[in-house]
Amino acid sequence: MKFASSLVLALGFAAQSMAFAPANAPKLSTALNAGVLTKNTGKSSLDPAVIDKYNALPFPEDKILAEYVWVDAVGNTRSKTRTLPASKAESVESLPKWNFDGSSTDQAPGDDSEVILRPCSIFKDPFRPRSDGIDNILVMCDTYTPAGEPLESNHRAVAEKAFEGKDEEEIWFGMEQEFTLFNLDERTPLGWPEGGMPSREQGPYYCSVGPENSFGRAIVEAMYKAALYAGIEISGTNGEVMPGQQEYQVGPCVGIDAGDQLTMSRYILQRVCEDFQVYCTLHPKPIVEGDWNGAGMHTNVSTKSMREEGGLEEIKKAIYKLGDKHAEHIAIYGEGNELRLTGKFETASIENFSFGVANRGASVRIGRDTWEDGKGYFEDRRPSSNCDPYLVTGKIMSTIMGPEAPEITPLDKEEA
C-alpha cells in the first residue's frame, strides 16, 4: 500500500508540474544532439546559436586575424590563419612572410617541404567582421622556395614579368567568372532532378526569376555582398543559361591586380558555398550529356590607346596578334576547354581562331558600342571557367605588346 500511495503522489506532482509547462516546449538544440553532419544541400547540423555565442566574443583591440590565401598545385585556393598586431595590416609591405607544408599540397617534397608565402594584396575579411573600427584581413599571397625562387605553380610571378615596365599602357581587365552549383552529391546541379535532366531545355534560366527557373540566388547574393565588403571590384552577377549555372564579373582591374582580385573572389565564393553546404565547380563542361552550355571566364581587355580616339585600329592589331598565337593561348586557357569550345553553345571552335562584331560564336568579340564609337575594348571568349587568371591576363599582355601580326578577316564581313 505504501508503494501505491507513493506512486499516486508522484503522478500528482508530475501532473501539477505539466500544468505549468508550455504546451509545446521546444526541444533545445545543441551540438550534442545535432548528430552526424549530413550532406543535405543548404543545411548544416551545427546550431547557429552555438556558433553565434563565440562570434559575439570581442577581438582584442591591438590584434587582428590574418587569413593567408594561396593557390595550390592544381589551381585551388587554400588558406591558414595567424594572429598579428593590428598595425601590421597598414600595408602589404608591413605584413610578415609565412610558410606552410608544401608536401601536403603537392608543392614541395616531404624532405624539404617548407614553402614561403609572400603577401601581395590585402582585402577585408567578410567572414570575421568586427565593430571596433579595425578589420580582420584576407591576404593574397604567392609562393616561393626558401631560397626565394617562385614555385612552378606560382603563375603570379609569370604574370608580374609580363606587366613589368608597362604601367603607361594602363591595361584594364574585366573577367566574367561562370560557375556551376551542385548538391553535395557532386552529381546533381541545383534545380535538376536527382539522376535525371530538367523537364525543359535551356533558355528560360538565363537572367531568370521564379522558383522554376532560378536556382542558387541566395548563394550568389551572399557572395556578392561578401565580395563587396572585402573590397573586390565585383561589378555584377547574373543567372546563366544552364540551370544551376551562375556568373559574376570582376573589374575593371589594372594589370596584376586583376589576377589577385579574381583569385580572391574565387576563395570567397568557395567559403560562401561552404556555409551553404553547396558544392561549386569551375569545370568548363560539368554536364556533357544533352544540349547544355559550358562555363567560361570571358576576359575583356582595354589599353589606354584602345580607349582613346582611333582606338578601334589598336584593338584590331591586338586581335591579329592574339590570332597569330592562338595555339599558345589555348594551351594555358584552362583544363577541359576542348569540351566547351566546340563551335556550339555560344563558343568558337578550339581549332580555329576567329573574331567578329557582336558575335558570340567568335573567339574574340568586339562589342557593338566599341565598333560604333571607334574605341573601347575587346572580349576574349576562349578562357575556360577554371583557367588561371594570372596566366590568362599575363599571356594576353605579352601577346598584344608583341610584334605585329598578319591581318585576319572578321566573321562579319559586312562589318569590316
Side-chain angles (χ1 to χ4, degrees), residues 349-363:
S349 168
I350 197 170
E351 302 295 336
N352 304 306
F353 180 85
S354 59
F355 84 96
V357 179
N359 191 329
R360 284 176 166 78
S363 306

Side-chain angles (χ1 to χ4, degrees), residues 323-390:
D324 198 45
K325 294 184 178 292
H326 177 62
E328 293 180 22
H329 282 256
I330 288 297
I332 56 96
Y333 270 14
E335 187 176 348
N337 214 8
E338 71 281 356
L339 299 173
R340 168 181 162 259
L341 296 180
T342 62
K344 300 177 181 178
F345 310 115
E346 300 181 276
T347 70
S349 168
I350 197 170
E351 302 295 336
N352 304 306
F353 180 85
S354 59
F355 84 96
V357 179
N359 191 329
R360 284 176 166 78
S363 306
V364 173
R365 180 180 70 92
I366 298 175
R368 182 74 62 189
D369 288 347
T370 293
W371 186 266
E372 292 176 354
D373 293 344
K375 59 184 177 181
Y377 68 96
F378 66 86
E379 176 192 48
D380 191 339
R381 297 180 58 79
R382 296 171 295 170
S384 68
S385 49
N386 63 357
C387 70
D388 187 308
Y390 295 117

Side-chain angles (χ1 to χ4, degrees), residues 157-344:
V158 176
E160 217 167 14
K161 289 181 180 178
F163 294 117
E164 195 171 35
K166 298 181 178 68
D167 291 348
E168 73 282 355
E169 296 293 337
E170 295 181 19
I171 187 162
W172 294 357
F173 294 99
M175 295 153 291
E176 305 171 24
Q177 177 67 70
E178 294 178 335
F179 57 96
T180 310
L181 299 173
F182 279 72
N183 289 269
L184 281 183
D185 61 5
E186 300 182 23
R187 295 189 302 272
T188 311
L190 296 194
W192 291 51
E194 187 174 359
M197 292 276 182
S199 58
R200 296 170 299 158
E201 59 188 29
Q202 63 183 25
Y205 311 106
Y206 174 69
C207 296
S208 64
V209 296
E212 76 282 15
N213 295 321
S214 181
F215 312 104
R217 186 186 300 277
I219 298 163
V220 178
E221 291 287 323
M223 183 271 170
Y224 198 166
K225 191 170 182 180
L228 284 171
Y229 180 92
I232 301 289
E233 292 294 334
I234 185 168
S235 48
T237 67
N238 60 267
E240 266 301 331
V241 177
M242 188 181 83
Q245 189 183 71
Q246 300 283 342
E247 177 188 303
Y248 64 88
Q249 302 90 36
V250 171
C253 302
V254 180
I256 194 69
D257 188 46
D260 288 345
Q261 297 234 9
L262 199 281
T263 303
M264 187 58 79
S265 77
R266 287 178 175 177
Y267 173 80
I268 292 172
L269 171 63
Q270 292 291 357
R271 286 286 303 272
V272 169
C273 288
E274 180 184 322
D275 285 344
F276 279 87
Q277 293 289 282
V278 168
Y279 171 68
C280 174
T281 180
L282 300 183
H283 194 284
K285 194 72 172 179
I287 303 295
V288 293
E289 296 179 7
D291 295 331
W292 304 104
N293 272 32
M297 194 194 79
H298 303 152
T299 303
N300 301 281
V301 185
S302 174
T303 62
K304 183 179 179 182
S305 59
M306 293 176 190
R307 298 188 295 272
E308 295 174 342
E309 294 301 321
L312 184 58
E313 290 307 310
E314 295 300 317
I315 290 171
K316 288 181 180 178
K317 290 177 184 177
I319 291 173
Y320 302 156
K321 294 174 186 179
L322 290 171
D324 198 45
K325 294 184 178 292
H326 177 62
E328 293 180 22
H329 282 256
I330 288 297
I332 56 96
Y333 270 14
E335 187 176 348
N337 214 8
E338 71 281 356
L339 299 173
R340 168 181 162 259
L341 296 180
T342 62
K344 300 177 181 178

Side-chain angles (χ1 to χ4, degrees), residues 325 328-329 332 390-400:
K325 294 184 178 292
E328 293 180 22
H329 282 256
I332 56 96
Y390 295 117
L391 286 181
V392 170
T393 56
K395 183 64 175 175
I396 290 174
M397 184 67 175
S398 62
T399 295
I400 67 176

